[in-house]
Amino acid sequence: VSPDGRLVAVNSPGGALFLLDLTTRLSSQLAAGPGRAHAPAFSPDGRLLAYALAAPDGSGAALMVLPLAGGGPTALTGE
């Protein structure tokens, strides 16, 4: 849950990452593709979402950060 209580980040069973807006009741997919996203967490100011991205073959994982105002994710650690 975001610091302001408006947003919830969840991962689907398939490994995609979704953002749910509790005010508008709309959802948007934030991350999908190779690998499985899990353990989403908001930054204290609510501008960033960090999550773990496991490699599709299970060989490793990366810590990712996604700016919620737009733009793509950045890997903070390698696989």
Side-chain angles (χ1 to χ4, degrees):
V1 177
S2 64
D4 64 6
R6 192 175 62 92
L7 303 171
V8 176
V10 296
N11 54 296
S12 71
L17 189 61
F18 289 87
L19 191 63
L20 308 173
D21 187 317
L22 299 177
T23 305
T24 64
R25 298 180 185 233
L26 297 175
S27 66
S28 55
Q29 189 168 343
L30 297 178
R36 297 176 61 89
H38 57 96
F42 288 91
S43 63
D45 63 9
R47 295 185 306 147
L48 302 171
L49 185 69
Y51 60 96
L53 183 63
D57 63 1
S59 63
L63 177 60
M64 308 296 289
V65 174
L66 180 69
L68 295 177
T74 301
L76 296 182
T77 62
E79 290 187 28

